[in-house]
């Protein structure tokens, strides 16, 4: 039986950084399975990782057949999953009415549905003492005008993660919702194609290395939520105190 980590969204940004740090910080893994659409980027990552075998699964998690493919690979290989990272995701900013229907539905499909289905498919292979990292976001702390659908998908990811954590606590599986503020990745190339990024987001931009490192430390402490940096921790407290409609008004 092989011990593996499975990381979605591994071709760039936070998912890629998770692969790098998992290879260094989790000993005894036989393989890291990496999922994303861009095979060339996954190949580059595979070359970079020394000491742990990387298995490439080039899947589009917006496509139905990808879940069947994942189900089959898992059933055939029957790995022991010690770490699952759900980092595939995207966001599109701008007012809801000017968004395309495809983008709005796509965010729900990838950020909520795919995250849920990958977790569901992988869970039977997750062993006692394992870790599940769900990429949520500080955008999930409160409703966010002009990032309306994205923020709602991240509220889902956070809620799903915290409830699942409780369900799996008897099996000693540590589930953590990773909720950073803005992180310097390719995410923003797509998110702000249509409009200028708000200045405070530029100011709070974090390094993916630090965000992932903090998430791994927090998971080991069995925290429910990982929030990187003073600004985002303060934001979280404010979002807990003020009603969502006030936050929406301030942000709008
Ligand atoms: N950057 C931020 O400021 C920030 C803050 C908080 C939370 N997050 C969340 O963190 C996660 C990772 O974001 P990131 O910043 O690392 O963004 P990123 O650099 O754009 O990475 C997104 C990843 O998702 C993958 N992906 C996109 N569409 C996919 C699809 N249809 N099927 C499979 N994989 C797909 C991409 O790979 P391919 O294109 O190769 O498929 C890529 O590996 C996301 O859930 C994001 O919402 C980001």
């Amino acid at each position: 039986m092989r011990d593996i980590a499975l990381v979605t969204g591994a071709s760039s940004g936070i998912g890629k950084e998770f692969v790098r740090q998992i290879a260094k910080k989790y000993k005894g893994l036989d393989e890291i399975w990496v999922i994303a659409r861009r095979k060339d980027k996954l190949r580059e990552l595979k070359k970079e990782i020394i000491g742990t075998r990387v298995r490439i699964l080039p899947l589009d998690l917006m496509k139905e057949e990808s879940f069947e493919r994942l189900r089959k690979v898992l059933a055939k290989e029957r790995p022991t999953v010690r770490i699952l990272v759900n980092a595939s995701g995207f966001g599109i900013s701008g007012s809801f009415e000017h968004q395309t229907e495809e983008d709005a539905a796509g965010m729900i499909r990838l950020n909520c549905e795919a995250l849920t289905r990958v977790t569901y498919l992988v869970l039977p292979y997750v062993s006692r003492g394992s870790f599940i990292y769900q990429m949520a976001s500080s955008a999930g702390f409160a409703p966010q005008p002009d990032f309306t659908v994205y923020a709602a998908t991240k509220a889902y990811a956070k809620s799903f993660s915290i409830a699942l954590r409780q369900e799996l606590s008897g099996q000693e599986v540590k589930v953590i919702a990773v909720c950073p503020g803005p992180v310097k990745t390719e995410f923003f190339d797509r998110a702000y194609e249509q409009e200028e990024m708000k200045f405070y987001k530029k100011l709070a931009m974090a390094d993916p290395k630090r965000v992932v490192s903090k998430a791994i430390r927090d998971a080991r402490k069995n925290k429910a939520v990982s929030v990187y940096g003073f600004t985002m921790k303060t934001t979280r407290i404010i979002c807990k105190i003020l009603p969502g409609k006030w936050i929406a008004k301030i942000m709008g």
Side-chain angles (χ1 to χ4, degrees):
M1 195 94 89
R2 268 167 304 159
D3 280 7
I4 71 153
L6 189 149
V7 181
T8 76
S11 63
S12 79
I14 297 168
K16 184 175 177 178
E17 188 53 36
F18 259 110
V19 175
R20 288 177 176 141
Q21 294 199 25
I22 284 169
K24 284 186 193 140
K25 294 180 181 174
Y26 287 90
K27 300 293 164 208
L29 280 177
D30 298 301
E31 282 179 2
I32 305 177
W33 292 13
V34 293
I35 295 179
R37 292 167 303 178
R38 287 171 295 171
K39 212 172 170 178
D40 53 332
K41 296 277 177 193
L42 295 176
R43 281 208 198 101
E44 279 171 24
L45 179 64
K46 183 183 165 114
K47 275 190 210 147
E48 194 194 303
I49 303 296
I50 298 160
T52 313
R53 243 176 67 91
V54 172
R55 178 171 180 163
I56 294 172
L57 297 174
L59 299 176
D60 184 341
L61 294 176
M62 304 262 276
K63 291 196 173 148
E64 186 59 37
E65 63 262 28
S66 299
F67 298 100
E68 204 41 50
R69 175 94 204 278
L70 181 60
R71 188 198 314 276
K72 282 187 180 151
V73 178
L74 287 165
K76 183 166 172 255
E77 306 281 340
R78 306 202 61 77
T80 299
V81 179
R82 281 180 46 206
I83 303 152
L84 167 64
V85 180
N86 268 308
S88 282
F90 76 98
I92 303 285
S93 72
S95 69
F96 175 64
E97 64 171 333
H98 292 118
Q99 219 154 46
T100 66
E101 189 181 338
E102 195 188 352
D103 281 343
M107 282 184 268
I108 299 170
R109 191 123 194 240
L110 190 62
N111 303 355
C112 302
E113 187 184 334
L115 175 138
T116 309
R117 290 180 77 174
V118 169
T119 306
Y120 188 84
L121 290 174
V122 170
L123 204 50
Y125 304 93
V126 167
S127 62
R128 193 168 271 275
S130 295
F131 295 88
I132 300 179
Y133 296 87
Q134 307 287 22
M135 277 317 299
S137 168
S138 59
F141 294 161
Q144 204 170 311
D146 289 340
F147 226 2
T148 310
V149 178
Y150 179 71
T153 66
K154 293 302 173 180
Y156 171 91
K158 179 171 154 269
S159 168
F160 171 70
S161 180
I162 295 172
L164 185 67
R165 174 178 184 270
Q166 190 55 42
E167 283 189 24
L168 299 180
S169 59
Q171 298 164 46
E172 289 167 28
V173 175
K174 297 184 176 81
V175 187
I176 185 160
V178 185
C179 299
V183 187
K184 205 168 177 8
T185 68
E186 287 175 22
F187 178 87
F188 290 100
D189 301 344
R190 190 168 179 194
Y192 289 92
E193 245 175 12
Q194 306 297 335
E195 60 163 40
E196 180 70 12
M197 195 196 308
K198 298 208 168 82
F199 74 96
Y200 57 82
K201 289 199 177 177
K202 284 184 189 164
L203 283 179
M205 198 65 80
D207 177 351
K209 286 195 186 88
R210 288 173 185 264
V211 170
V212 171
S213 177
K214 166 99 173 96
I216 291 175
R217 281 200 311 276
D218 285 345
R220 285 178 168 158
K221 290 179 196 158
N222 200 13
K223 288 194 179 175
V225 176
S226 176
V227 184
Y228 174 80
F230 175 76
T231 313
M232 288 307 137
K233 283 182 182 157
T234 311
T235 306
R236 187 177 177 211
I237 294 167
I238 293 168
C239 290
K240 278 184 175 175
I241 297 167
L242 296 182
K245 64 177 181 184
W246 288 18
I247 305 273
K249 198 163 189 175
I250 295 162
M251 295 194 82

